[in-house]
Amino acid sequence: MLNALLPFLLMQVGIAPTMPTFSDLPPELRDRPAREEVASPRPRATTALDTCLKLAASDPARARTLADEWISRTTGAQRAAGSHCLGVATANSGDWAAAAAAFLAARGDADEPRFRARMSALAGSALLAQGDPGAALAALDAGQADAAGDAELLGALQLDRASALVSLGRETDAAAALSEARAAVPQDAQAWLLSATLSRRMGDMTGAQTFIEQAAALDPRDPAVGLEAGVIAALDGRDEAARKSFESVVAASPESEQGVAAKRYLAQLAGE
């Protein structure tokens, strides 16, 4: 049964099965309000930024116009906040190149380390979405020193660094980045899931199993975790364990991307 399944498993690309090669986009790019800690430190800019980001979620074109005008009449931290909004607006419009340029401009105009690190993270995510892992890695690397002392932000940078490094074929370096991510954010199931997938890709099935068990302990309902657990079990010759994992994914999320993949794998295990 396993031999029939192997071609499907080996065709999986990216850092995780059925997942993009980059981690979840930051909150600003998921149509959510911006976190207060990444806004410009000046109260007036914070208020204006919140307004602009809200508009970027509902009407990216208008927000882009507003941000362009804001940038044209300000300097320093104020202009950085305007560029931040411009990046979100252009990202929400699907213009990843413009978004990355805006986030990098925001970083260049700012002095506050955490803001600069956040802009590096956003630029890296946009460049990964654009399919430019080399430029993404450069942006993410630039943010590491500024993220010192902020475990969550450092973890996010390392997760995206790992994705970029995998895309560049530097899997050993990606494993090191994931190790740093796990140390920074040990309660983040995504860090353990991506570590499991990368270990599986590198042929370390023992490590993959250890990592996926931790991911499952942290987020047992995530269908991506269940799917990866099944893939690892199948490649490790544990057909029954693989079947149970795939069945759990189908039961929990039958119409999701992971659920569809799990159904296909179950059919292969059954020899269909």
Side-chain angles (χ1 to χ4, degrees):
M1 298 297 183
L2 180 59
N3 288 336
L5 185 61
L6 276 172
F8 287 87
L9 301 181
L10 295 177
M11 283 194 297
Q12 297 290 353
V13 296
I15 199 165
T18 76
M19 296 175 63
T21 58
F22 48 96
S23 64
D24 286 344
L25 293 177
E28 288 90 332
L29 304 190
R30 290 204 304 265
D31 202 24
R32 296 182 183 178
R35 298 178 183 178
E36 290 183 2
E37 69 263 28
V38 302
S40 173
R42 297 186 182 183
R44 288 187 61 190
T46 299
T47 300
L49 178 59
D50 288 342
T51 300
C52 190
L53 289 174
K54 184 176 181 179
L55 183 61
S58 61
D59 191 341
R62 283 183 59 202
R64 187 170 187 168
T65 299
L66 174 63
D68 281 334
E69 191 275 334
W70 183 353
I71 293 167
S72 71
R73 61 178 172 79
T74 56
T75 60
Q78 292 276 351
R79 186 167 65 185
S83 294
H84 179 186
C85 183
L86 178 62
V88 175
T90 50
N92 286 348
S93 299
D95 189 345
W96 296 112
F103 292 135
L104 290 174
R107 172 185 167 80
D109 280 329
D111 294 322
E112 203 277 315
R114 291 173 69 188
F115 182 91
R116 286 169 54 83
R118 186 62 180 170
M119 293 306 101
S120 293
L122 289 169
S125 291
L127 289 162
L128 283 170
Q130 187 187 349
D132 191 346
L137 184 61
L140 295 163
D141 285 349
Q144 290 187 88
D146 290 321
D150 187 327
E152 183 179 357
L153 186 49
L154 184 59
L157 285 166
Q158 294 298 344
L159 286 174
D160 270 356
R161 287 188 72 251
S163 295
L165 288 163
V166 166
S167 295
L168 293 169
R170 296 168 55 184
E171 293 186 336
T172 299
D173 291 334
L178 287 173
S179 178
E180 292 193 36
R182 295 192 306 274
V185 284
Q187 298 305 308
D188 187 336
Q190 185 77 356
W192 296 92
L193 169 60
L194 299 185
S195 297
T197 305
L198 182 58
S199 292
R200 184 254 299 168
R201 286 182 51 159
M202 296 175 72
D204 178 8
M205 303 310 293
T206 299
Q209 183 63 31
T210 298
F211 291 139
I212 201 61
E213 287 177 2
Q214 182 62 26
L218 291 169
D219 193 355
R221 296 186 179 183
D222 185 350
V225 172
L227 185 66
E228 180 61 33
V231 170
I232 291 169
L235 290 176
D236 204 29
R238 296 178 283 114
D239 284 15
E240 186 56 30
R243 185 176 293 105
K244 289 181 179 178
S245 290
F246 293 143
E247 288 174 346
S248 71
V249 173
V250 173
S253 187
E255 303 306 319
S256 68
E257 188 176 4
Q258 293 83 9
V260 171
K263 291 175 188 177
R264 184 169 69 248
Y265 294 158
L266 284 168
Q268 291 297 310
L269 283 172
E272 298 177 6

